[in-house]
Amino acid sequence: MNKQTGKIIGISGNMLTVSFEGTITQNEVGYAVRGNEKLKSEVIRIQGDKAYMQVFESTKGLKVGDRVEFTGDLLSVQLGPGLLTQIYDGLQNPLPELAEAHGFFLPRGVILDPLSKDAKWHLTPLVKAGDVVRKGHYLGWVPETQFKHYVMVPFYMDGDLTVESVEKEGDYTIDQPIVTVRDEKGQKHGLTMVFEWPVKLPVNIYKQKILPTQPLVTKARIIDTFFPVAKGGTYCIPGPFGAGKTVLQQITSRYADVDIVIIAACGERAGEIVETMREFPELVDPRTGKSLMERTIIIANTSSMPVAAREASVYTATTLGEYYRQMGLDVLLLADSTSRWAQAMRELSGRLEEIPGEEAFPAYLESRIAEFYERAGLVELFNGEQGSLTIGGTVSPAGGNFEEPVTQATLKVVGAFHGLSRERSNARRFPAIHPLDSWSKYDSFVPENNVSISRDFLEKGADVHQMMMVVGEEGTSQEDFVTYLKSEFLDAVFLQQNAFDPVDAATNPDRQTHVITQIASVLESELQFADKEEARNFFYDLRQKFIDWNYLEWQSDEFRTQEKTIQTLIKGKTQDA
């Protein structure tokens, strides 16, 4: 494709109107040139000989008449070894290297290589001369932290490719040719460890997409037992400001049963993102005992950055997740917060003078959100292995109003809804997921009978609590009061979790199943009390013993001793006593 040039004829915020001659493509990358600065932009609409382009940086200083250079390439990211442990912006610029080169105040128009061209990787070839390969097939592997990073045939190469030659095992940089292939037309291509892929094109190089059914263990009891997520599934975490969305995501990223964690900060406050960037390298990975950053990629984009970069960060993170899924790994993508991304779409839609939808969001809001979550999935690769990309997005509705367009559009496409509650957050009940408003379409590893018994008592207890708000404890029957105490007991000992305790912060599936079985037996038991005061004292005592039990190592001697103490206490109040 011949590279074209254009001229700026209009500027509105971070959107340029550019006149051009020749042919350009939707989503093509161009550069607005001002002196020595080249500001990266993307074509978002073409009308005749006019192109509307969103600029990923501040447009201050640009003026009508400035030149625009079109590249002929779509907005893409580099895929290859060295992605893990990195902190990128939405355009895959490595932020630590940017800060080292330019200090805290980054100049405009600076673009750095996402992957080091000097680092050497020890290659173990997996193909030989004469083999026939296709796009996505493994050519070899290099060690990247604790994983085998498979070097693949670039995703854009079509047809059968015959291997002509393979470099022997050894150390190579990412841009050294390691395999030479011949395509069906007889042309030869030297393949390296790195290639580019457009971020807005889903990677669909697999045999089939499989319905996600295997639970993704997060070790958060309220999620795994009541509102589970499946590997390759989708979920959202809406909640008001300060309800704990970011903290819940960080806990999930630390303990979830996945290989790779990708955090896409798409417009959150700078303070939260800086905290994430500082804390993650210090966190110890429970699986390896090493730094959690060894299997993490952070895409950092704050609310103070240009709105166009928020959209780029979402798609960049998703493409990186799909890349590692092609290696047969389980990837968790956490987007925080998709509301900021939607607000960026609204701002750009307004500058394009499009007909607005509800609350001035663009009419295509639902389809864009659906396209994002549809890129999740459990897939069977051509080699028979399986890989998964699970997507969890937070939503920040104004005033905690779940009826607003972004939350409603998200609820239509996700498989689980973890609604955070201001009421529970204020009561210091963390995680602040509301047990009656939330839901999940996925199956848990906990027997459904125990879950339904527990959920039934939560609903009954909420009804009694509402009644007690009106008539007081005196106007409540003892039977209803005991039901209320049982629901509060369940809430305190199972739904709430202490993220700062090394044992209680992460509860394995066997322990969750065992404990909820014990709790269900308490809920179903006919306990005998002389009056309400005796009932209250009993449940206070039982609750404290259960909480102490939660802090003891699973199946330790102390754990079993505490369990016997609890059972003795319960037997003393059953009908048979």
Side-chain angles (χ1 to χ4, degrees), residues 226-246:
F226 290 93
F227 314 112
V229 178
K231 281 187 178 179
T234 55
Y235 68 100
C236 69
I237 310 174
F241 169 76
K245 297 186 293 295
T246 304

Side-chain angles (χ1 to χ4, degrees), residues 273-327:
I273 298 173
V274 169
E275 185 180 345
T276 299
M277 291 164 59
R278 284 179 174 170
E279 284 188 359
F280 261 71
E282 305 297 326
L283 292 177
V284 176
D285 185 354
R287 297 167 59 175
T288 64
K290 300 178 181 178
S291 170
L292 188 62
M293 274 301 293
E294 287 197 358
R295 58 184 183 94
T296 302
I297 305 172
I298 297 177
I299 310 295
N301 191 277
T302 69
S303 55
S304 59
M305 292 180 180
V307 292
R310 298 183 194 176
E311 184 180 35
S313 64
V314 171
Y315 291 115
T316 295
T318 309
T319 305
L320 297 182
E322 290 173 327
Y323 175 61
Y324 279 100
R325 180 177 66 183
Q326 288 296 123
M327 300 181 197

Side-chain angles (χ1 to χ4, degrees), residues 17-18 26 36 44 85 237 275 320 336 357 446 457:
T17 306
V18 180
Q26 181 83 1
N36 295 326
I44 56 175
T85 74
I237 310 174
E275 185 180 345
L320 297 182
D336 186 17
V446 175
F457 268 92

Side-chain angles (χ1 to χ4, degrees), residues 177-327:
I178 55 170
V179 176
T180 302
V181 297
R182 186 181 72 253
D183 63 21
E184 294 172 339
K185 295 180 180 178
Q187 294 181 330
K188 292 185 179 181
H189 305 271
L191 304 183
T192 65
M193 297 186 196
V194 64
F195 61 92
E196 293 192 351
W197 182 256
V199 295
K200 293 185 179 177
L201 292 182
V203 179
N204 54 4
I205 306 168
Y206 44 77
K207 189 181 295 183
Q208 63 174 336
K209 215 167 191 178
I210 306 168
L211 183 69
T213 56
Q214 181 185 355
L216 171 65
V217 178
T218 66
K219 297 187 179 178
R221 293 188 292 262
I222 189 170
I223 294 177
D224 291 345
T225 298
F226 290 93
F227 314 112
V229 178
K231 281 187 178 179
T234 55
Y235 68 100
C236 69
I237 310 174
F241 169 76
K245 297 186 293 295
T246 304
V247 173
L248 182 58
Q249 279 199 334
Q250 291 189 13
I251 293 171
T252 305
S253 63
R254 186 176 184 183
Y255 295 110
D257 183 22
V258 292
D259 300 308
I260 308 291
V261 177
I262 300 176
I263 297 176
C266 44
E268 266 301 333
R269 293 176 302 280
E272 290 188 9
I273 298 173
V274 169
E275 185 180 345
T276 299
M277 291 164 59
R278 284 179 174 170
E279 284 188 359
F280 261 71
E282 305 297 326
L283 292 177
V284 176
D285 185 354
R287 297 167 59 175
T288 64
K290 300 178 181 178
S291 170
L292 188 62
M293 274 301 293
E294 287 197 358
R295 58 184 183 94
T296 302
I297 305 172
I298 297 177
I299 310 295
N301 191 277
T302 69
S303 55
S304 59
M305 292 180 180
V307 292
R310 298 183 194 176
E311 184 180 35
S313 64
V314 171
Y315 291 115
T316 295
T318 309
T319 305
L320 297 182
E322 290 173 327
Y323 175 61
Y324 279 100
R325 180 177 66 183
Q326 288 296 123
M327 300 181 197

